[in-house]
Amino acid sequence: MRKILFAALFLALGLITACSSSDDIAESQTQSQIESNIVGTWELKTFDKGWAQVSSFNSREVTLSFSKHGLLTITNNTSTDLSPLPYSGTCPFTVNKEHHVTINGVTLEYEVNGTTLRLAKDIEADGICIILTNIDN
C-alpha cells in the first residue's frame, strides 16, 4: 500500500513541477518578434492626412528610426507638418500584438509587408495613412 501511495505522490509531484511558464515565454517571444518587425530605419514615401493632398517625399527627406530600446528618432529635412507624429526629434514608442504602435501617446495601426511599413489611424474615416520603406539594407 505504501508503494502505491508513494508512487501516486511522486507522480502528482512530477505533474505539478512539470508545469512551466511556457505561455509567458511564448508571449515574450511574440513581443520580441513584433518589435523586430518595426525596429530599423524607414524613410517616408507618402503621407496622406485623408482630407488634404497626399505628400510624397524624396529619398531620406524624412526618416523614422525605431530602436529596440523603445525610442523613435524622427529626422525631418522638410517643412512638412507630420501631425500627429512629432515634427522631428526623439520620443518613446511601444508596439503590441494587435499590430498597434503607440508613438508619443498616439496609437496607430501598423503593417509590415517586406520592406514597406504602413502606419494608419482612422483610415475608414478619411484618417491618416503613412507609407515608409526600410533603408537598413
Side-chain angles (χ1 to χ4, degrees):
M1 182 72 166
R2 276 187 170 175
K3 289 182 182 181
I4 294 173
L5 286 174
F6 182 70
L9 179 62
F10 185 71
L11 181 62
L13 183 61
L15 290 174
I16 291 171
T17 59
C19 295
S20 68
S21 58
S22 62
D23 291 342
D24 295 338
I25 293 169
E27 180 69 24
S28 174
Q29 289 171 341
T30 301
Q31 186 67 22
S32 177
Q33 290 167 347
I34 291 167
E35 290 172 359
S36 71
N37 285 340
I38 199 168
V39 167
T41 302
W42 305 82
E43 66 182 5
L44 185 59
K45 289 297 182 185
T46 60
F47 191 85
D48 181 359
K49 289 194 176 186
W51 46 267
Q53 181 178 3
V54 176
S55 299
S56 296
F57 298 87
N58 294 321
S59 181
R60 300 185 191 246
E61 279 187 321
V62 179
T63 60
L64 284 75
S65 294
F66 293 89
S67 81
K68 64 182 179 182
H69 304 293
L71 291 176
L72 169 64
T73 302
I74 300 173
T75 304
N76 187 350
N77 297 313
T78 71
S79 59
T80 304
D81 176 18
L82 301 177
S83 296
L85 300 177
Y87 177 77
S88 66
T90 302
C91 61
F93 81 93
T94 57
V95 294
N96 67 29
K97 62 183 175 184
E98 284 82 31
H99 292 277
H100 289 97
V101 59
T102 301
I103 300 170
N104 208 29
V106 176
T107 301
L108 304 163
E109 295 174 29
Y110 82 91
E111 177 184 12
V112 177
N113 187 358
T115 60
T116 302
L117 170 62
R118 178 181 167 269
L119 302 173
K121 181 174 179 76
D122 300 325
I123 198 73
E124 306 83 27
D126 287 333
I128 297 164
C129 184
I130 304 166
I131 305 295
L132 303 112
T133 301
N134 189 287
I135 56 174
D136 286 333
N137 299 327

PDB file of all heavy atoms in Angstrom, residues 22-52:
ATOM      1  N   SER A  22       5.480  28.462 -19.951  1.00  0.00           N
ATOM      2  CA  SER A  22       5.701  28.497 -21.395  1.00  0.00           C
ATOM      3  C   SER A  22       4.838  29.556 -22.063  1.00  0.00           C
ATOM      4  O   SER A  22       5.224  30.125 -23.073  1.00  0.00           O
ATOM      5  CB  SER A  22       5.441  27.124 -22.017  1.00  0.00           C
ATOM      6  OG  SER A  22       4.100  26.749 -21.807  1.00  0.00           O
ATOM      7  N   ASP A  23       3.661  29.848 -21.485  1.00  0.00           N
ATOM      8  CA  ASP A  23       2.829  30.917 -22.042  1.00  0.00           C
ATOM      9  C   ASP A  23       3.543  32.250 -21.943  1.00  0.00           C
ATOM     10  O   ASP A  23       3.497  33.065 -22.848  1.00  0.00           O
ATOM     11  CB  ASP A  23       1.483  30.988 -21.320  1.00  0.00           C
ATOM     12  CG  ASP A  23       0.606  29.784 -21.621  1.00  0.00           C
ATOM     13  OD1 ASP A  23       0.880  29.095 -22.632  1.00  0.00           O
ATOM     14  OD2 ASP A  23      -0.336  29.543 -20.853  1.00  0.00           O
ATOM     15  N   ASP A  24       4.218  32.489 -20.788  1.00  0.00           N
ATOM     16  CA  ASP A  24       4.960  33.732 -20.621  1.00  0.00           C
ATOM     17  C   ASP A  24       6.106  33.813 -21.623  1.00  0.00           C
ATOM     18  O   ASP A  24       6.386  34.860 -22.186  1.00  0.00           O
ATOM     19  CB  ASP A  24       5.520  33.852 -19.201  1.00  0.00           C
ATOM     20  CG  ASP A  24       4.420  33.969 -18.157  1.00  0.00           C
ATOM     21  OD1 ASP A  24       3.292  34.368 -18.537  1.00  0.00           O
ATOM     22  OD2 ASP A  24       4.677  33.666 -16.985  1.00  0.00           O
ATOM     23  N   ILE A  25       6.790  32.672 -21.837  1.00  0.00           N
ATOM     24  CA  ILE A  25       7.902  32.647 -22.790  1.00  0.00           C
ATOM     25  C   ILE A  25       7.369  32.909 -24.199  1.00  0.00           C
ATOM     26  O   ILE A  25       7.931  33.706 -24.946  1.00  0.00           O
ATOM     27  CB  ILE A  25       8.654  31.304 -22.716  1.00  0.00           C
ATOM     28  CG1 ILE A  25       9.359  31.186 -21.364  1.00  0.00           C
ATOM     29  CG2 ILE A  25       9.647  31.172 -23.852  1.00  0.00           C
ATOM     30  CD1 ILE A  25       9.915  29.812 -21.070  1.00  0.00           C
ATOM     31  N   ALA A  26       6.267  32.254 -24.555  1.00  0.00           N
ATOM     32  CA  ALA A  26       5.688  32.457 -25.882  1.00  0.00           C
ATOM     33  C   ALA A  26       5.267  33.910 -26.057  1.00  0.00           C
ATOM     34  O   ALA A  26       5.474  34.502 -27.110  1.00  0.00           O
ATOM     35  CB  ALA A  26       4.498  31.529 -26.089  1.00  0.00           C
ATOM     36  N   GLU A  27       4.673  34.492 -25.017  1.00  0.00           N
ATOM     37  CA  GLU A  27       4.250  35.897 -25.082  1.00  0.00           C
ATOM     38  C   GLU A  27       5.465  36.794 -25.278  1.00  0.00           C
ATOM     39  O   GLU A  27       5.459  37.705 -26.081  1.00  0.00           O
ATOM     40  CB  GLU A  27       3.498  36.284 -23.807  1.00  0.00           C
ATOM     41  CG  GLU A  27       3.024  37.719 -23.770  1.00  0.00           C
ATOM     42  CD  GLU A  27       1.908  38.015 -24.752  1.00  0.00           C
ATOM     43  OE1 GLU A  27       1.177  37.090 -25.141  1.00  0.00           O
ATOM     44  OE2 GLU A  27       1.782  39.180 -25.164  1.00  0.00           O
ATOM     45  N   SER A  28       6.532  36.512 -24.542  1.00  0.00           N
ATOM     46  CA  SER A  28       7.747  37.304 -24.650  1.00  0.00           C
ATOM     47  C   SER A  28       8.347  37.184 -26.047  1.00  0.00           C
ATOM     48  O   SER A  28       8.774  38.171 -26.637  1.00  0.00           O
ATOM     49  CB  SER A  28       8.754  36.845 -23.602  1.00  0.00           C
ATOM     50  OG  SER A  28       9.975  37.502 -23.765  1.00  0.00           O
ATOM     51  N   GLN A  29       8.383  35.977 -26.593  1.00  0.00           N
ATOM     52  CA  GLN A  29       8.927  35.789 -27.933  1.00  0.00           C
ATOM     53  C   GLN A  29       8.061  36.501 -28.961  1.00  0.00           C
ATOM     54  O   GLN A  29       8.560  37.094 -29.891  1.00  0.00           O
ATOM     55  CB  GLN A  29       9.026  34.300 -28.247  1.00  0.00           C
ATOM     56  CG  GLN A  29      10.108  33.600 -27.465  1.00  0.00           C
ATOM     57  CD  GLN A  29      10.065  32.093 -27.612  1.00  0.00           C
ATOM     58  OE1 GLN A  29       9.053  31.523 -27.997  1.00  0.00           O
ATOM     59  NE2 GLN A  29      11.161  31.435 -27.268  1.00  0.00           N
ATOM     60  N   THR A  30       6.761  36.438 -28.761  1.00  0.00           N
ATOM     61  CA  THR A  30       5.860  37.118 -29.683  1.00  0.00           C
ATOM     62  C   THR A  30       6.132  38.616 -29.665  1.00  0.00           C
ATOM     63  O   THR A  30       6.228  39.248 -30.703  1.00  0.00           O
ATOM     64  CB  THR A  30       4.390  36.837 -29.311  1.00  0.00           C
ATOM     65  OG1 THR A  30       4.183  35.437 -29.356  1.00  0.00           O
ATOM     66  CG2 THR A  30       3.441  37.517 -30.263  1.00  0.00           C
ATOM     67  N   GLN A  31       6.267  39.200 -28.479  1.00  0.00           N
ATOM     68  CA  GLN A  31       6.546  40.632 -28.360  1.00  0.00           C
ATOM     69  C   GLN A  31       7.872  40.964 -29.034  1.00  0.00           C
ATOM     70  O   GLN A  31       7.982  41.945 -29.753  1.00  0.00           O
ATOM     71  CB  GLN A  31       6.566  41.047 -26.886  1.00  0.00           C
ATOM     72  CG  GLN A  31       6.712  42.532 -26.670  1.00  0.00           C
ATOM     73  CD  GLN A  31       5.511  43.327 -27.145  1.00  0.00           C
ATOM     74  OE1 GLN A  31       4.409  42.810 -27.275  1.00  0.00           O
ATOM     75  NE2 GLN A  31       5.721  44.582 -27.422  1.00  0.00           N
ATOM     76  N   SER A  32       8.875  40.119 -28.828  1.00  0.00           N
ATOM     77  CA  SER A  32      10.178  40.336 -29.448  1.00  0.00           C
ATOM     78  C   SER A  32      10.083  40.282 -30.967  1.00  0.00           C
ATOM     79  O   SER A  32      10.684  41.092 -31.667  1.00  0.00           O
ATOM     80  CB  SER A  32      11.167  39.290 -28.937  1.00  0.00           C
ATOM     81  OG  SER A  32      12.405  39.444 -29.563  1.00  0.00           O
ATOM     82  N   GLN A  33       9.317  39.318 -31.482  1.00  0.00           N
ATOM     83  CA  GLN A  33       9.151  39.206 -32.926  1.00  0.00           C
ATOM     84  C   GLN A  33       8.422  40.420 -33.480  1.00  0.00           C
ATOM     85  O   GLN A  33       8.760  40.921 -34.550  1.00  0.00           O
ATOM     86  CB  GLN A  33       8.390  37.930 -33.276  1.00  0.00           C
ATOM     87  CG  GLN A  33       9.174  36.677 -33.024  1.00  0.00           C
ATOM     88  CD  GLN A  33       8.313  35.430 -33.084  1.00  0.00           C
ATOM     89  OE1 GLN A  33       7.093  35.507 -33.091  1.00  0.00           O
ATOM     90  NE2 GLN A  33       8.954  34.280 -33.113  1.00  0.00           N
ATOM     91  N   ILE A  34       7.417  40.898 -32.744  1.00  0.00           N
ATOM     92  CA  ILE A  34       6.677  42.088 -33.173  1.00  0.00           C
ATOM     93  C   ILE A  34       7.625  43.275 -33.267  1.00  0.00           C
ATOM     94  O   ILE A  34       7.662  43.980 -34.251  1.00  0.00           O
ATOM     95  CB  ILE A  34       5.528  42.405 -32.198  1.00  0.00           C
ATOM     96  CG1 ILE A  34       4.441  41.337 -32.301  1.00  0.00           C
ATOM     97  CG2 ILE A  34       4.942  43.787 -32.465  1.00  0.00           C
ATOM     98  CD1 ILE A  34       3.431  41.398 -31.181  1.00  0.00           C
ATOM     99  N   GLU A  35       8.399  43.479 -32.209  1.00  0.00           N
ATOM    100  CA  GLU A  35       9.309  44.608 -32.198  1.00  0.00           C
ATOM    101  C   GLU A  35      10.344  44.501 -33.302  1.00  0.00           C
ATOM    102  O   GLU A  35      10.711  45.501 -33.901  1.00  0.00           O
ATOM    103  CB  GLU A  35       9.967  44.729 -30.827  1.00  0.00           C
ATOM    104  CG  GLU A  35       8.992  45.166 -29.755  1.00  0.00           C
ATOM    105  CD  GLU A  35       9.565  45.098 -28.364  1.00  0.00           C
ATOM    106  OE1 GLU A  35      10.731  44.690 -28.199  1.00  0.00           O
ATOM    107  OE2 GLU A  35       8.831  45.446 -27.435  1.00  0.00           O
ATOM    108  N   SER A  36      10.807  43.284 -33.590  1.00  0.00           N
ATOM    109  CA  SER A  36      11.820  43.141 -34.633  1.00  0.00           C
ATOM    110  C   SER A  36      11.259  43.487 -36.006  1.00  0.00           C
ATOM    111  O   SER A  36      12.014  43.861 -36.905  1.00  0.00           O
ATOM    112  CB  SER A  36      12.413  41.726 -34.633  1.00  0.00           C
ATOM    113  OG  SER A  36      11.475  40.789 -35.100  1.00  0.00           O
ATOM    114  N   ASN A  37       9.944  43.392 -36.190  1.00  0.00           N
ATOM    115  CA  ASN A  37       9.340  43.775 -37.466  1.00  0.00           C
ATOM    116  C   ASN A  37       9.452  45.274 -37.720  1.00  0.00           C
ATOM    117  O   ASN A  37       9.577  45.699 -38.860  1.00  0.00           O
ATOM    118  CB  ASN A  37       7.850  43.405 -37.497  1.00  0.00           C
ATOM    119  CG  ASN A  37       7.637  41.934 -37.690  1.00  0.00           C
ATOM    120  OD1 ASN A  37       8.508  41.218 -38.151  1.00  0.00           O
ATOM    121  ND2 ASN A  37       6.465  41.470 -37.321  1.00  0.00           N
ATOM    122  N   ILE A  38       9.377  46.056 -36.678  1.00  0.00           N
ATOM    123  CA  ILE A  38       9.305  47.505 -36.847  1.00  0.00           C
ATOM    124  C   ILE A  38      10.637  48.195 -36.554  1.00  0.00           C
ATOM    125  O   ILE A  38      10.885  49.295 -37.026  1.00  0.00           O
ATOM    126  CB  ILE A  38       8.157  48.075 -35.980  1.00  0.00           C
ATOM    127  CG1 ILE A  38       7.745  49.451 -36.457  1.00  0.00           C
ATOM    128  CG2 ILE A  38       8.508  48.073 -34.509  1.00  0.00           C
ATOM    129  CD1 ILE A  38       6.460  49.952 -35.847  1.00  0.00           C
ATOM    130  N   VAL A  39      11.521  47.527 -35.796  1.00  0.00           N
ATOM    131  CA  VAL A  39      12.821  48.117 -35.461  1.00  0.00           C
ATOM    132  C   VAL A  39      13.633  48.297 -36.729  1.00  0.00           C
ATOM    133  O   VAL A  39      13.715  47.406 -37.562  1.00  0.00           O
ATOM    134  CB  VAL A  39      13.570  47.246 -34.430  1.00  0.00           C
ATOM    135  CG1 VAL A  39      15.028  47.668 -34.302  1.00  0.00           C
ATOM    136  CG2 VAL A  39      12.879  47.307 -33.081  1.00  0.00           C
ATOM    137  N   GLY A  40      14.209  49.479 -36.875  1.00  0.00           N
ATOM    138  CA  GLY A  40      15.026  49.780 -38.042  1.00  0.00           C
ATOM    139  C   GLY A  40      14.798  51.214 -38.490  1.00  0.00           C
ATOM    140  O   GLY A  40      14.082  51.981 -37.848  1.00  0.00           O
ATOM    141  N   THR A  41      15.411  51.559 -39.595  1.00  0.00           N
ATOM    142  CA  THR A  41      15.284  52.912 -40.142  1.00  0.00           C
ATOM    143  C   THR A  41      14.431  52.860 -41.393  1.00  0.00           C
ATOM    144  O   THR A  41      14.665  52.056 -42.292  1.00  0.00           O
ATOM    145  CB  THR A  41      16.671  53.510 -40.453  1.00  0.00           C
ATOM    146  OG1 THR A  41      17.440  53.503 -39.239  1.00  0.00           O
ATOM    147  CG2 THR A  41      16.549  54.933 -40.969  1.00  0.00           C
ATOM    148  N   TRP A  42      13.448  53.733 -41.422  1.00  0.00           N
ATOM    149  CA  TRP A  42      12.465  53.784 -42.501  1.00  0.00           C
ATOM    150  C   TRP A  42      12.428  55.200 -43.062  1.00  0.00           C
ATOM    151  O   TRP A  42      12.507  56.168 -42.318  1.00  0.00           O
ATOM    152  CB  TRP A  42      11.081  53.426 -41.966  1.00  0.00           C
ATOM    153  CG  TRP A  42      11.015  52.113 -41.252  1.00  0.00           C
ATOM    154  CD1 TRP A  42      11.364  51.862 -39.957  1.00  0.00           C
ATOM    155  CD2 TRP A  42      10.593  50.869 -41.794  1.00  0.00           C
ATOM    156  NE1 TRP A  42      11.178  50.533 -39.668  1.00  0.00           N
ATOM    157  CE2 TRP A  42      10.696  49.901 -40.773  1.00  0.00           C
ATOM    158  CE3 TRP A  42      10.117  50.483 -43.052  1.00  0.00           C
ATOM    159  CZ2 TRP A  42      10.353  48.571 -40.963  1.00  0.00           C
ATOM    160  CZ3 TRP A  42       9.768  49.154 -43.244  1.00  0.00           C
ATOM    161  CH2 TRP A  42       9.885  48.216 -42.206  1.00  0.00           C
ATOM    162  N   GLU A  43      12.319  55.302 -44.402  1.00  0.00           N
ATOM    163  CA  GLU A  43      12.175  56.625 -44.999  1.00  0.00           C
ATOM    164  C   GLU A  43      10.722  56.815 -45.415  1.00  0.00           C
ATOM    165  O   GLU A  43      10.065  55.889 -45.891  1.00  0.00           O
ATOM    166  CB  GLU A  43      13.123  56.841 -46.165  1.00  0.00           C
ATOM    167  CG  GLU A  43      12.891  55.987 -47.371  1.00  0.00           C
ATOM    168  CD  GLU A  43      13.918  56.233 -48.472  1.00  0.00           C
ATOM    169  OE1 GLU A  43      14.871  56.997 -48.279  1.00  0.00           O
ATOM    170  OE2 GLU A  43      13.750  55.638 -49.542  1.00  0.00           O
ATOM    171  N   LEU A  44      10.242  58.016 -45.197  1.00  0.00           N
ATOM    172  CA  LEU A  44       8.861  58.356 -45.521  1.00  0.00           C
ATOM    173  C   LEU A  44       8.705  58.484 -47.032  1.00  0.00           C
ATOM    174  O   LEU A  44       9.465  59.185 -47.685  1.00  0.00           O
ATOM    175  CB  LEU A  44       8.482  59.666 -44.830  1.00  0.00           C
ATOM    176  CG  LEU A  44       7.048  60.141 -44.940  1.00  0.00           C
ATOM    177  CD1 LEU A  44       6.078  59.124 -44.378  1.00  0.00           C
ATOM    178  CD2 LEU A  44       6.886  61.457 -44.195  1.00  0.00           C
ATOM    179  N   LYS A  45       7.716  57.766 -47.575  1.00  0.00           N
ATOM    180  CA  LYS A  45       7.415  57.829 -49.010  1.00  0.00           C
ATOM    181  C   LYS A  45       6.191  58.697 -49.262  1.00  0.00           C
ATOM    182  O   LYS A  45       6.226  59.595 -50.091  1.00  0.00           O
ATOM    183  CB  LYS A  45       7.196  56.427 -49.590  1.00  0.00           C
ATOM    184  CG  LYS A  45       8.450  55.613 -49.678  1.00  0.00           C
ATOM    185  CD  LYS A  45       9.414  56.287 -50.620  1.00  0.00           C
ATOM    186  CE  LYS A  45      10.675  55.528 -50.813  1.00  0.00           C
ATOM    187  NZ  LYS A  45      11.645  56.239 -51.620  1.00  0.00           N
ATOM    188  N   THR A  46       5.083  58.387 -48.567  1.00  0.00           N
ATOM    189  CA  THR A  46       3.861  59.190 -48.723  1.00  0.00           C
ATOM    190  C   THR A  46       3.214  59.416 -47.362  1.00  0.00           C
ATOM    191  O   THR A  46       3.300  58.573 -46.461  1.00  0.00           O
ATOM    192  CB  THR A  46       2.824  58.518 -49.652  1.00  0.00           C
ATOM    193  OG1 THR A  46       2.462  57.254 -49.117  1.00  0.00           O
ATOM    194  CG2 THR A  46       3.358  58.368 -51.060  1.00  0.00           C
ATOM    195  N   PHE A  47       2.581  60.567 -47.239  1.00  0.00           N
ATOM    196  CA  PHE A  47       1.873  60.952 -46.019  1.00  0.00           C
ATOM    197  C   PHE A  47       0.514  61.490 -46.443  1.00  0.00           C
ATOM    198  O   PHE A  47       0.426  62.523 -47.083  1.00  0.00           O
ATOM    199  CB  PHE A  47       2.679  62.019 -45.273  1.00  0.00           C
ATOM    200  CG  PHE A  47       2.181  62.297 -43.887  1.00  0.00           C
ATOM    201  CD1 PHE A  47       2.596  61.521 -42.825  1.00  0.00           C
ATOM    202  CD2 PHE A  47       1.311  63.346 -43.651  1.00  0.00           C
ATOM    203  CE1 PHE A  47       2.147  61.781 -41.541  1.00  0.00           C
ATOM    204  CE2 PHE A  47       0.861  63.616 -42.381  1.00  0.00           C
ATOM    205  CZ  PHE A  47       1.275  62.831 -41.318  1.00  0.00           C
ATOM    206  N   ASP A  48      -0.526  60.743 -46.116  1.00  0.00           N
ATOM    207  CA  ASP A  48      -1.890  61.088 -46.524  1.00  0.00           C
ATOM    208  C   ASP A  48      -2.706  61.401 -45.281  1.00  0.00           C
ATOM    209  O   ASP A  48      -2.964  60.524 -44.467  1.00  0.00           O
ATOM    210  CB  ASP A  48      -2.509  59.913 -47.286  1.00  0.00           C
ATOM    211  CG  ASP A  48      -3.924  60.173 -47.769  1.00  0.00           C
ATOM    212  OD1 ASP A  48      -4.468  61.267 -47.497  1.00  0.00           O
ATOM    213  OD2 ASP A  48      -4.484  59.277 -48.422  1.00  0.00           O
ATOM    214  N   LYS A  49      -3.089  62.675 -45.113  1.00  0.00           N
ATOM    215  CA  LYS A  49      -3.893  63.072 -43.962  1.00  0.00           C
ATOM    216  C   LYS A  49      -5.377  62.880 -44.216  1.00  0.00           C
ATOM    217  O   LYS A  49      -6.204  63.252 -43.404  1.00  0.00           O
ATOM    218  CB  LYS A  49      -3.607  64.512 -43.577  1.00  0.00           C
ATOM    219  CG  LYS A  49      -2.249  64.691 -42.955  1.00  0.00           C
ATOM    220  CD  LYS A  49      -2.121  66.023 -42.277  1.00  0.00           C
ATOM    221  CE  LYS A  49      -0.785  66.125 -41.582  1.00  0.00           C
ATOM    222  NZ  LYS A  49      -0.666  67.328 -40.803  1.00  0.00           N
ATOM    223  N   GLY A  50      -5.725  62.290 -45.341  1.00  0.00           N
ATOM    224  CA  GLY A  50      -7.121  61.978 -45.632  1.00  0.00           C
ATOM    225  C   GLY A  50      -7.872  63.120 -46.272  1.00  0.00           C
ATOM    226  O   GLY A  50      -8.392  62.998 -47.363  1.00  0.00           O
ATOM    227  N   TRP A  51      -7.925  64.236 -45.629  1.00  0.00           N
ATOM    228  CA  TRP A  51      -8.679  65.384 -46.130  1.00  0.00           C
ATOM    229  C   TRP A  51      -7.789  66.350 -46.902  1.00  0.00           C
ATOM    230  O   TRP A  51      -8.266  67.270 -47.522  1.00  0.00           O
ATOM    231  CB  TRP A  51      -9.345  66.124 -44.979  1.00  0.00           C
ATOM    232  CG  TRP A  51      -8.412  66.348 -43.825  1.00  0.00           C
ATOM    233  CD1 TRP A  51      -8.250  65.550 -42.732  1.00  0.00           C
ATOM    234  CD2 TRP A  51      -7.470  67.410 -43.667  1.00  0.00           C
ATOM    235  NE1 TRP A  51      -7.278  66.031 -41.900  1.00  0.00           N
ATOM    236  CE2 TRP A  51      -6.780  67.190 -42.451  1.00  0.00           C
ATOM    237  CE3 TRP A  51      -7.121  68.513 -44.422  1.00  0.00           C
ATOM    238  CZ2 TRP A  51      -5.787  68.032 -41.976  1.00  0.00           C
ATOM    239  CZ3 TRP A  51      -6.128  69.364 -43.942  1.00  0.00           C
ATOM    240  CH2 TRP A  51      -5.486  69.114 -42.733  1.00  0.00           C
ATOM    241  N   ALA A  52      -6.504  66.125 -46.858  1.00  0.00           N
ATOM    242  CA  ALA A  52      -5.568  67.033 -47.530  1.00  0.00           C
ATOM    243  C   ALA A  52      -4.878  66.296 -48.677  1.00  0.00           C
ATOM    244  O   ALA A  52      -5.045  65.097 -48.867  1.00  0.00           O
ATOM    245  CB  ALA A  52      -4.523  67.525 -46.533  1.00  0.00           C
TER     246      ALA A  52
END
